[in-house]
Amino acid sequence: MFARAQKTSVAAALFALAAGLTLLSAPAQAQGRPNLVVMGEDADEDAVPRGNRIFQRVIAELSETMNLRGYNVYDETAVAMSFTQANRVRRRDAELIEVARAVQNPPLDVVAVFQIYASASKSAYSDIVRPEVRIPGRLLNVRTGQSLGSFEVAGLQLPPLPQGCDRECLLERVGAEAKAIAGDVAAALAMKLDGGIAPRRGAEAGAPPPAPVGNAAVAAAPGGEACGGLPSAYVVKLNGFSAQEVQAAEEYMAAFRCYEHHRPVRAGGAAAEYWYETRSDSARLGRNLRLMLEHMSAPGQVQFSGNTFVISRVATR
């Protein structure tokens, strides 16, 4: 009898927490657009190197297009100059991703990586010389490394170069064509990113809260709320909790608004670790975890750094 009453009270508390968190999160439901940085990969010797006039026009066009689409675009040099050498050239994607992950203020969510291949070819039947430009671009989730989409513009019939076109002329003509192509690449990548952060209906976002038990007077969570924003992944570590408390915490986390899914990474007698994906931002998830401890009547602390939440139970006499 006691066990049944205890289970009923836990279920009621879980529903109350899920509904309460939903109501608390409602004013901040419109999550801001992701923080984005545009970076050029020029490790290939055939690619246009960083610092080249063509490169600068392309990165400016990509950044401006994404900025006009409503994304928070940050300059790589401005946010990373304190810990990495500025104007490094011939960088591979591994270095670009590491730099993006190392930036803490502001925390970056998405990196747009692009390459530029530019050349000029002479016709086999005349002295006409045409420039050729190819710009592939792709989007990566900084925290998870997940590919969010890619797009490439190539094979366009570009206007021929004027007779006697020297290096200065070539850079200006190819740069102008590359800038226009970069706008098309940026528009396509923005559409892909828009699709990734499209709002989801509240009823589809995460596990539905348990049904109310007994006479628990709890306001139902409004099912019409949308969960927008880029899906984010976090590592959630539980330290010092009993097996029953870990089970309860897992049920709470699965009931949070905008929850996507989670996967246990490690579990032991007094510790557990989860890979947790959600469309909530880190601030809202941190509030929810602190409220979870309060509803569990478990004294503890919540620390956050990078993409890791560490929840430690504070033992008391």
Side-chain angles (χ1 to χ4, degrees), residues 37-83:
V37 62
V38 181
M39 309 175 81
E41 179 187 348
D42 56 356
D44 189 341
E45 293 294 334
D46 293 330
V48 175
R50 184 185 187 190
N52 185 281
R53 191 185 310 176
I54 300 174
F55 186 100
Q56 297 301 332
R57 296 182 73 171
V58 168
I59 196 171
E61 183 66 20
L62 286 167
S63 300
E64 179 64 9
T65 302
M66 302 296 283
N67 181 55
L68 293 177
R69 292 294 291 262
Y71 293 100
N72 305 316
V73 182
Y74 291 89
D75 181 78
E76 177 197 348
T77 302
V79 298
M81 62 186 300
S82 62
F83 57 83

Side-chain angles (χ1 to χ4, degrees), residues 24-269:
L24 287 174
S25 302
Q29 190 63 40
Q31 183 179 350
R33 291 295 185 102
N35 294 337
L36 183 144
V37 62
V38 181
M39 309 175 81
E41 179 187 348
D42 56 356
D44 189 341
E45 293 294 334
D46 293 330
V48 175
R50 184 185 187 190
N52 185 281
R53 191 185 310 176
I54 300 174
F55 186 100
Q56 297 301 332
R57 296 182 73 171
V58 168
I59 196 171
E61 183 66 20
L62 286 167
S63 300
E64 179 64 9
T65 302
M66 302 296 283
N67 181 55
L68 293 177
R69 292 294 291 262
Y71 293 100
N72 305 316
V73 182
Y74 291 89
D75 181 78
E76 177 197 348
T77 302
V79 298
M81 62 186 300
S82 62
F83 57 83
T84 187
Q85 181 182 353
N87 298 323
R88 275 181 49 82
V89 297
R90 301 305 180 190
R91 302 178 302 169
R92 297 189 178 276
D93 56 353
E95 180 178 350
L96 302 180
I97 295 170
E98 185 177 13
V99 171
R101 287 178 175 174
V103 176
Q104 298 294 324
N105 295 307
L108 300 176
D109 302 304
V110 178
V111 56
V113 182
F114 69 93
Q115 295 171 291
I116 310 171
Y117 294 96
S119 61
S121 62
K122 186 177 180 179
S123 171
Y125 307 102
S126 66
D127 57 353
I128 295 178
V129 179
R130 292 184 182 273
E132 298 179 2
V133 180
R134 179 168 67 90
I135 303 179
R138 56 197 173 100
L139 299 169
L140 293 175
N141 188 316
V142 173
R143 292 192 181 94
T144 66
Q146 179 184 9
S147 175
L148 302 176
S150 62
F151 191 78
E152 176 180 315
V153 175
L156 298 178
Q157 184 75 10
L158 301 179
L161 299 174
Q163 286 292 327
C165 188
D166 57 7
R167 182 178 183 276
E168 181 72 17
C169 166
L170 182 64
L171 288 174
E172 286 299 317
R173 289 298 185 102
V174 174
E177 300 296 343
K179 178 181 177 181
I181 293 175
D184 294 336
V185 174
L189 293 179
M191 285 189 285
K192 290 178 178 291
L193 196 52
D194 288 341
I197 65 172
R200 298 180 60 193
R201 304 304 299 170
E204 300 175 355
V213 180
N215 296 322
V218 180
E225 291 183 6
C227 287
L230 184 71
S232 298
Y234 301 94
V235 176
V236 179
K237 298 182 179 180
L238 303 174
N239 295 328
F241 291 88
S242 67
Q244 292 78 9
E245 289 173 329
V246 169
Q247 178 66 26
E250 188 172 349
E251 293 177 2
Y252 278 117
M253 291 190 294
F256 290 162
R257 174 65 62 183
C258 300
Y259 160 87
E260 292 283 322
H261 72 272
H262 73 279
R263 179 179 300 176
V265 176
R266 183 180 304 171

